[in-house]
Short mmCIF file of all heavy atoms in Angstrom, two decimals:
data_model
loop_
_atom_site.label_atom_id
_atom_site.label_comp_id
_atom_site.label_asym_id
_atom_site.label_seq_id
_atom_site.Cartn_x
_atom_site.Cartn_y
_atom_site.Cartn_z
N ASP A 89 4.17 7.44 -3.27
CA ASP A 89 4.49 6.83 -2.03
C ASP A 89 4.83 7.93 -1.01
O ASP A 89 5.59 8.83 -1.29
CB ASP A 89 5.72 5.89 -2.18
CG ASP A 89 5.88 5.00 -0.99
OD1 ASP A 89 4.94 4.75 -0.24
OD2 ASP A 89 7.02 4.50 -0.79
N GLU A 158 9.42 -2.64 2.59
CA GLU A 158 8.71 -1.62 3.38
C GLU A 158 7.27 -2.08 3.52
O GLU A 158 6.58 -2.31 2.51
CB GLU A 158 8.80 -0.25 2.70
CG GLU A 158 10.26 0.26 2.67
CD GLU A 158 10.42 1.73 2.36
OE1 GLU A 158 9.56 2.28 1.66
OE2 GLU A 158 11.37 2.33 2.88
N GLU A 160 3.64 -1.43 3.99
CA GLU A 160 2.82 -0.22 3.75
C GLU A 160 1.38 -0.57 3.48
O GLU A 160 1.03 -1.70 3.17
CB GLU A 160 3.39 0.55 2.51
CG GLU A 160 4.86 0.87 2.65
CD GLU A 160 5.32 1.98 1.70
OE1 GLU A 160 4.44 2.73 1.18
OE2 GLU A 160 6.54 2.12 1.52
N ASP A 192 6.80 -2.19 -0.56
CA ASP A 192 7.63 -1.28 -1.36
C ASP A 192 9.08 -1.74 -1.25
O ASP A 192 9.85 -1.20 -0.46
CB ASP A 192 7.43 0.16 -0.85
CG ASP A 192 8.31 1.14 -1.63
OD1 ASP A 192 8.65 0.85 -2.77
OD2 ASP A 192 8.62 2.20 -1.05
N LYS A 212 14.06 2.02 -5.63
CA LYS A 212 12.66 1.66 -5.35
C LYS A 212 11.86 1.18 -6.57
O LYS A 212 10.89 0.44 -6.40
CB LYS A 212 11.92 2.93 -4.83
CG LYS A 212 12.51 3.59 -3.63
CD LYS A 212 12.02 2.89 -2.38
CE LYS A 212 12.35 3.74 -1.17
NZ LYS A 212 11.78 3.16 0.04
N GLY A 300 3.79 4.87 2.95
CA GLY A 300 5.14 4.83 3.45
C GLY A 300 5.22 3.76 4.53
O GLY A 300 4.21 3.28 5.06
MN1 LIG B 401 8.00 3.29 0.66
#
Side-chain angles (χ1 to χ4, degrees):
D89 194 23
E158 295 194 330
E160 304 199 16
D192 178 25
K212 301 278 193 174

